Amino acid sequence: MDPIVGRMTLKEWVAVESDSVQPVLHLRRELLRMTGLAADRLRNLGAHVDLVDAGFQQLPDGQSLPIPPIILAELGNDPKKPTVCFYGHLDVQPARQEDGWVTDPHTLTEVDGKLYGRGTTDNKGPVLAWINAVSTFRALDEDLPVNVKFVIEGMEEAGSLALEELVQKEKAGFFSSVDYIVISDNLWISRRTPALTCGTRGNSYFMVEVKCRDQDFHSGTFGGILNEPMADLVALLGSLVDSSGRILIPGIYDHVAPVTEEEKRTYEAIDLDLEEYRNSSQVKKFLFHTKEELLMHLWRYPSLSIHGIEGAFHEPGAKTVIPGRVIGKFSIRLVPHMNISVVEKQVKQHLDYIFSKRNSSNQMTVSMTLGLHPWVANIRDNQYLAAKRAIKTVFGTEPDMIRDGSTIPIAKIFQDTIQKSVMMLPLGAVDDGEHSQKEKINRWNYIEGSKLFAAFFLEMAKLH
Amino acid sequence: MDPIVGRMTLKEWVAVESDSVQPVLHLRRELLRMTGLAADRLRNLGAHVDLVDAGFQQLPDGQSLPIPPIILAELGNDPKKPTVCFYGHLDVQPARQEDGWVTDPHTLTEVDGKLYGRGTTDNKGPVLAWINAVSTFRALDEDLPVNVKFVIEGMEEAGSLALEELVQKEKAGFFSSVDYIVISDNLWISRRTPALTCGTRGNSYFMVEVKCRDQDFHSGTFGGILNEPMADLVALLGSLVDSSGRILIPGIYDHVAPVTEEEKRTYEAIDLDLEEYRNSSQVKKFLFHTKEELLMHLWRYPSLSIHGIEGAFHEPGAKTVIPGRVIGKFSIRLVPHMNISVVEKQVKQHLDYIFSKRNSSNQMTVSMTLGLHPWVANIRDNQYLAAKRAIKTVFGTEPDMIRDGSTIPIAKIFQDTIQKSVMMLPLGAVDDGEHSQKEKINRWNYIEGSKLFAAFFLEMAKLH
């Protein structure tokens, strides 16, 4: 492996603003360019690369945007070796310097061993670490110990549009020879101890629009005689969760799996220094004060977050406007055994009820724009054992066996469709700040992570 | 008067993005350019023009921006004639095509006799109508029947920074010879019947910041264990006003002047077609259903509007972010005899109380960034009589005697400082959409308004 080359490519990849969240054409073009760069890199390794057309994304306003093609690549097809398939994504969350970034989000910048930039940890860095692992064997002129496949998409941050369809379609094709799926799209729970992830929460994303008219109003000329959409919206959003973090939507906890004594013990085994976690998170105080409570509320209980409002005044300064039409955005992280369509119904019923109580003359529309299932792994699979051994080899320690509070929907899709073992093997540290204005990957994690993947290939070959 | 020349200048003026609300340097430069254009136009009329340095605006982040100079201009100083001073402003509210404008907000566009563009009615059109009136006498080579002065500023939409100080300073100078102040910075209450305005509401603008940390969080990685700033903020904003429009801040109505029987009768006399008003406003249903209630809630009761949130996700699409630091913005329109510092205290006490009940670990900071007094005119002054006669001459009708729900703080400043009669003589129609994405002035209003000002000069001369 040549870490210098690896780092230079990460710099090149971070420089591409492959934002899939904002549905605008120039960003979609960057996504297509990013896909091309990754395909070229894989071809240079000697992989056979297919760029599978993924069609178009239909926007609510009637327009459509191209979805970047999904990369299906393979290296080796020796029937005596196990076939390991790596999933990753090339798209990123929006990032602008003025959002509060200290460094340019699209210029990889190293400070004290931290490589800052949008996508460094989520998920361009891990994709490249996997590529680095493969290229190590190539550089040493050694045979790859496993057959390697890649599924790399460009719409993960926008709900992995088109991916599920592709997996279904390729179930008997590309995926038929796959034995194991590995995903590296989450983080450790510590800054130094590696982790293996055996569950993730799902997510349901809601938009609630309140409309009086399309144009805004002057608050002097109309203030006092209107049901103002913002007043309706803050009442609706304010009805969702209380100040202790408890979701107030009736019935929402009905299907949450009860906590068993055995499960409780798994939280106790996790090495989490609360003080360090609090410090690295830069949070004065969490809602819960024991390790077990904290982990359960991150991993196995649902949570509701309000993300923002579209259509209201959002810039610095003072504008005396009554927004005419506003859209509140919130999402609920789902856990076993919550059902997406039940949650959708509960949310809509609740908002309908709150809105009807206000007797407002505005129009309210609620839509669920994303619904992603939670996922739980089978940790008795061979690849979990191989990964544990590889971690021991590279890091000299046992991994934390963790869940992840965020959603990697494809885990559940792979598990349900291909019915092969899915493993999540993170390589980023807890303070990497995915989605935030300080996203980074540590130089150490990036290089050791590349080694970990190479070691994992060797362990897989031994176990097979 | 040459309406074509007048319209071409309006086009030129609307093309300048003289936005004073967003505190950024390139917009401030546009404001300075706009001030220069207006000064040139006045010099071309033969006016003596002073550009009075207005210093700098201090921003909360420590930076400062230049305030455009205030124009003081005069034409004629015949001691036998009355001196009428016109106040107007050249700055505008923010306007971007993507906010929902059908036409380019900075390209004057005529559709069905309506001249669309940011600033057409608020306030560039009226400033030019006054200039047109003066130039009519110039074009006819007739002596101006009155001495004319102009005070034209560029910071009205940002709270008329530096103007009060100037008025104080020039009280014994520029303003010593002024007999009457005329302001045309509001609208009629009808589409066809002209109006005279004899009162305005004040305004107090508040920002409430809730901060957990400076960076945002990923809602998967942190959702469930945080006091989320958005949850705190929607609770705070949701505590301000109920769904009937009543402000919930304790004590806020204590100093509102009681309604007298005589005052009630003035509302009954106003010619307001509720159905037409509703239609032209494009509002399905107002909070009140009689003319009197509606007018009282627009003019003589306080109102509270929530304008928006800074720091949260505001773009189209779905972003799974927990904003780390958010600023809610709202304002209260003030009426006689509310006291700004009492209101400030009541708001802060109320928000402190609501926030303390939540027991949140976040930090809350409340600041009042603008405090503008309400104003009531003396309608027995000569100039109100002159204006009524001029309206009769040009429009053939009696004006509606109205108040205005929005704030023209300078009215109160002129009245208190110079202690001369202040009149508000609007020329825009009720559906002009100041501050909205459809701002326009009717061609008819613009031209008849220019005539009205000329007729007003003649009537003033007769009465003096």
Side-chain angles (χ1 to χ4, degrees):
Chain A
M1 185 186 61
D2 179 349
I4 301 303
V5 168
R7 198 144 49 91
M8 286 190 62
T9 308
L10 185 55
K11 188 174 187 106
E12 186 192 0
W13 283 23
V14 165
V16 185
E17 192 181 350
S18 52
D19 169 358
S20 63
V21 175
Q22 299 182 73
V24 289
L25 190 57
H26 79 273
L27 293 174
R28 208 45 69 86
R29 287 206 188 100
E30 288 299 281
L31 251 176
L32 294 170
R33 189 160 73 84
M34 184 66 240
T35 308
L37 286 176
D40 286 347
R41 187 96 173 90
L42 289 165
R43 282 193 199 99
N44 288 343
L45 279 183
H48 174 79
V49 177
D50 257 357
L51 290 175
V52 184
D53 183 60
F56 286 83
Q57 177 185 17
Q58 296 301 323
L59 303 180
D61 67 1
Q63 291 191 289
S64 65
L65 283 176
I67 295 175
I70 295 167
I71 297 174
L72 295 183
E74 57 180 300
L75 278 127
N77 55 2
D78 183 341
K80 292 188 298 292
K81 295 178 186 171
T83 300
V84 181
C85 177
F86 174 79
Y87 160 84
H89 67 89
L90 301 168
D91 58 318
V92 296
Q93 284 279 319
R96 290 184 187 172
Q97 183 112 36
E98 60 265 34
D99 292 341
W101 283 76
V102 176
T103 61
D104 173 10
H106 300 294
T107 303
L108 188 76
T109 309
E110 179 166 356
V111 181
D112 294 336
K114 293 165 180 141
L115 306 171
Y116 288 96
R118 177 58 90 221
T120 46
T121 199
D122 183 14
N123 184 231
K124 291 174 179 177
V127 171
L128 278 167
W130 190 272
I131 289 175
N132 292 339
V134 172
S135 63
T136 303
F137 291 93
R138 284 274 173 275
L140 298 173
D141 221 10
E142 281 191 18
D143 208 28
L144 268 173
V146 294
N147 302 316
V148 175
K149 293 199 169 191
F150 290 88
V151 188
I152 304 181
E153 66 155 325
M155 294 298 284
E156 196 272 344
E157 303 292 357
S160 291
L161 300 174
L163 187 61
E164 184 165 5
E165 197 185 336
L166 173 92
V167 175
Q168 292 282 1
K169 219 177 81 186
E170 292 290 339
K171 185 180 166 178
F174 179 84
F175 293 104
S176 63
S177 61
V178 168
D179 300 302
Y180 304 96
I181 308 264
V182 181
I183 302 169
S184 301
D185 194 19
N186 62 320
L187 300 177
W188 301 347
I189 195 162
S190 136
R191 281 197 275 184
R192 301 295 295 183
T193 309
L196 269 172
T197 306
C198 42
T200 67
R201 292 192 290 191
N203 199 14
S204 51
Y205 203 105
F206 290 89
M207 305 212 180
V208 47
E209 176 183 295
V210 180
K211 177 177 162 176
C212 178
R213 68 173 191 189
D214 282 319
Q215 290 85 42
D216 292 341
F217 299 87
H218 185 301
S219 68
T221 317
F222 283 94
I225 62 168
L226 295 180
N227 276 123
E228 300 191 6
M230 275 296 279
D232 284 341
L233 186 59
V234 297
L236 291 164
L237 296 176
S239 76
L240 296 170
V241 63
D242 72 14
S243 59
S244 72
R246 189 163 176 87
I247 303 172
L248 301 172
I249 297 161
I252 202 86
Y253 291 98
D254 286 357
H255 299 98
V256 173
V259 187
T260 63
E261 286 304 314
E262 186 195 352
E263 187 192 335
K264 267 192 189 162
R265 281 191 293 275
T266 67
Y267 303 120
E268 288 160 16
I270 304 250
D271 174 31
L272 178 71
D273 180 330
L274 278 191
E275 191 62 18
E276 186 192 311
Y277 181 52
R278 219 177 44 70
N279 287 339
S280 71
S281 307
Q282 297 173 270
V283 172
K284 214 171 67 183
K285 206 172 154 190
F286 290 118
L287 288 174
F288 306 97
H289 308 301
T290 68
K291 181 177 72 178
E292 291 76 12
E293 274 183 306
L294 217 58
L295 293 176
M296 285 195 285
H297 281 89
L298 281 176
W299 294 348
R300 62 106 57 237
Y301 286 123
S303 66
L304 189 149
S305 297
I306 302 167
H307 309 297
I309 295 173
E310 180 183 339
F313 178 58
H314 62 265
E315 294 179 72
K319 188 176 178 182
T320 51
V321 67
I322 299 172
R325 175 176 163 269
V326 286
I327 304 171
K329 300 179 182 184
F330 65 94
S331 65
I332 302 173
R333 295 280 163 178
L334 306 175
V335 296
H337 308 290
M338 293 170 83
N339 177 295
I340 292 177
S341 54
V342 171
V343 168
E344 179 178 15
K345 202 173 147 193
Q346 287 167 336
V347 169
K348 288 184 172 174
Q349 276 179 348
H350 171 72
L351 291 176
D352 279 344
Y353 170 70
I354 299 290
F355 191 68
S356 71
K357 275 203 310 182
R358 292 183 61 80
N359 200 23
S360 167
S361 55
N362 295 323
Q363 283 176 282
M364 182 191 71
T365 319
V366 184
S367 54
M368 189 179 80
T369 58
L370 273 183
L372 306 170
H373 293 283
W375 164 78
V376 180
N378 176 5
I379 59 167
R380 288 165 190 88
D381 280 324
N382 268 350
Q383 67 169 344
Y384 272 91
L385 185 55
K388 277 188 186 181
R389 287 183 186 170
I391 286 170
K392 186 90 187 172
T393 304
V394 174
F395 294 94
T397 181
E398 291 293 323
D400 285 329
M401 298 300 288
I402 65 173
R403 293 206 206 177
D404 198 289
S406 53
T407 311
I408 301 102
I410 192 62
K412 176 77 177 162
I413 294 171
F414 282 127
Q415 196 175 52
D416 290 355
T417 312
I418 311 176
Q419 302 189 318
K420 292 289 163 63
S421 168
V422 175
M423 178 176 71
M424 300 203 350
L425 179 56
L427 59 82
V430 67
D431 61 347
D432 274 4
E434 39 174 4
H435 292 214
S436 92
Q437 298 98 325
K438 261 191 165 178
E439 182 175 345
K440 57 93 180 163
I441 192 165
N442 298 326
R443 199 175 191 281
W444 180 73
N445 288 60
Y446 181 50
I447 293 173
E448 299 305 298
S450 300
K451 290 183 197 169
L452 171 61
F453 290 147
F456 170 68
F457 295 163
L458 293 166
E459 294 293 344
M460 279 306 295
K462 279 191 227 166
L463 272 170
H464 196 71
Chain B
M1 186 186 59
D2 179 348
I4 301 304
V5 169
R7 196 141 51 90
M8 285 189 63
T9 308
L10 184 55
K11 188 174 188 107
E12 187 191 358
W13 283 22
V14 165
V16 185
E17 193 182 349
S18 51
D19 169 358
S20 64
V21 174
Q22 299 182 75
V24 288
L25 189 60
H26 79 272
L27 293 173
R28 208 45 69 85
R29 287 207 187 100
E30 287 299 281
L31 252 176
L32 294 170
R33 189 161 73 85
M34 183 66 240
T35 306
L37 286 175
D40 287 347
R41 187 94 172 91
L42 288 165
R43 284 195 198 97
N44 287 345
L45 279 183
H48 173 79
V49 177
D50 258 356
L51 290 175
V52 184
D53 181 61
F56 286 83
Q57 177 185 17
Q58 295 303 323
L59 303 180
D61 67 1
Q63 291 192 291
S64 65
L65 284 176
I67 296 175
I70 296 167
I71 296 174
L72 295 183
E74 57 179 300
L75 280 128
N77 56 1
D78 184 341
K80 294 190 297 291
K81 295 176 184 170
T83 300
V84 181
C85 177
F86 174 80
Y87 162 84
H89 67 89
L90 301 168
D91 58 315
V92 297
Q93 284 279 320
R96 290 184 188 173
Q97 183 111 36
E98 60 264 35
D99 292 342
W101 283 76
V102 176
T103 61
D104 174 8
H106 300 293
T107 303
L108 188 77
T109 309
E110 180 165 356
V111 181
D112 295 337
K114 293 165 181 144
L115 307 170
Y116 288 96
R118 178 56 93 220
T120 47
T121 199
D122 182 16
N123 182 233
K124 291 174 178 177
V127 171
L128 278 168
W130 189 273
I131 289 175
N132 292 341
V134 173
S135 63
T136 304
F137 290 93
R138 285 275 176 273
L140 298 173
D141 221 9
E142 281 192 15
D143 207 29
L144 269 172
V146 293
N147 302 318
V148 174
K149 292 199 169 191
F150 290 87
V151 188
I152 304 182
E153 67 155 324
M155 294 299 283
E156 197 272 342
E157 303 292 359
S160 291
L161 299 176
L163 187 62
E164 184 165 6
E165 197 185 335
L166 173 93
V167 175
Q168 292 282 2
K169 217 177 83 185
E170 291 289 339
K171 184 180 166 179
F174 179 85
F175 292 105
S176 64
S177 62
V178 167
D179 300 303
Y180 305 96
I181 309 264
V182 182
I183 301 168
S184 301
D185 193 19
N186 62 319
L187 300 176
W188 301 346
I189 194 162
S190 133
R191 280 198 275 186
R192 302 294 295 182
T193 310
L196 270 172
T197 305
C198 42
T200 66
R201 292 192 289 190
N203 199 13
S204 52
Y205 202 105
F206 290 89
M207 305 211 181
V208 48
E209 176 183 295
V210 181
K211 178 177 161 177
C212 179
R213 68 173 192 188
D214 282 318
Q215 290 85 43
D216 292 341
F217 300 87
H218 184 302
S219 68
T221 317
F222 284 94
I225 61 167
L226 296 179
N227 276 122
E228 300 191 5
M230 276 297 279
D232 285 340
L233 186 58
V234 298
L236 291 164
L237 296 176
S239 76
L240 296 171
V241 64
D242 72 15
S243 59
S244 72
R246 189 163 177 86
I247 303 173
L248 300 173
I249 297 160
I252 202 88
Y253 290 99
D254 286 356
H255 299 99
V256 173
V259 187
T260 64
E261 285 305 313
E262 187 194 350
E263 187 192 333
K264 268 192 188 159
R265 281 192 293 275
T266 67
Y267 303 119
E268 288 161 13
I270 305 246
D271 175 31
L272 177 72
D273 181 329
L274 279 191
E275 190 64 17
E276 186 192 311
Y277 181 52
R278 220 176 44 70
N279 287 339
S280 70
S281 308
Q282 296 171 271
V283 172
K284 213 171 69 184
K285 207 171 151 190
F286 290 117
L287 287 173
F288 306 97
H289 308 302
T290 68
K291 181 177 69 178
E292 291 77 9
E293 275 183 304
L294 216 58
L295 294 177
M296 285 196 286
H297 281 91
L298 281 176
W299 294 348
R300 63 106 53 236
Y301 286 124
S303 65
L304 189 150
S305 296
I306 302 166
H307 307 298
I309 295 174
E310 181 183 339
F313 178 57
H314 61 265
E315 295 177 73
K319 187 177 178 180
T320 50
V321 68
I322 299 172
R325 175 177 163 267
V326 286
I327 305 171
K329 301 180 182 183
F330 65 92
S331 66
I332 302 172
R333 295 281 162 178
L334 306 174
V335 297
H337 306 289
M338 293 169 87
N339 177 293
I340 291 177
S341 54
V342 170
V343 167
E344 181 179 13
K345 202 173 144 193
Q346 288 167 337
V347 169
K348 287 183 173 178
Q349 276 179 347
H350 171 73
L351 290 176
D352 279 342
Y353 171 69
I354 298 291
F355 191 66
S356 70
K357 275 203 308 181
R358 291 181 63 79
N359 200 23
S360 168
S361 54
N362 295 322
Q363 283 177 281
M364 181 191 73
T365 320
V366 184
S367 54
M368 190 179 80
T369 58
L370 272 184
L372 306 169
H373 293 282
W375 163 78
V376 180
N378 176 4
I379 60 168
R380 287 164 191 89
D381 281 323
N382 267 349
Q383 68 169 344
Y384 271 92
L385 184 56
K388 277 189 186 179
R389 288 184 187 170
I391 286 168
K392 186 89 188 176
T393 303
V394 174
F395 294 96
T397 181
E398 293 291 326
D400 286 328
M401 298 300 288
I402 66 174
R403 293 205 206 178
D404 197 290
S406 53
T407 310
I408 301 102
I410 192 62
K412 177 76 177 162
I413 293 171
F414 282 128
Q415 197 176 52
D416 289 354
T417 311
I418 311 178
Q419 301 190 320
K420 292 289 163 63
S421 167
V422 175
M423 180 175 71
M424 299 202 352
L425 180 56
L427 58 82
V430 67
D431 61 346
D432 274 3
E434 38 174 6
H435 292 213
S436 93
Q437 298 97 324
K438 260 192 168 177
E439 182 176 345
K440 57 93 179 162
I441 193 165
N442 298 327
R443 202 176 190 281
W444 180 74
N445 288 58
Y446 181 51
I447 293 173
E448 298 305 298
S450 301
K451 289 184 197 167
L452 171 61
F453 290 147
F456 170 67
F457 295 163
L458 294 165
E459 294 293 345
M460 278 307 295
K462 276 191 229 165
L463 271 171
H464 195 70

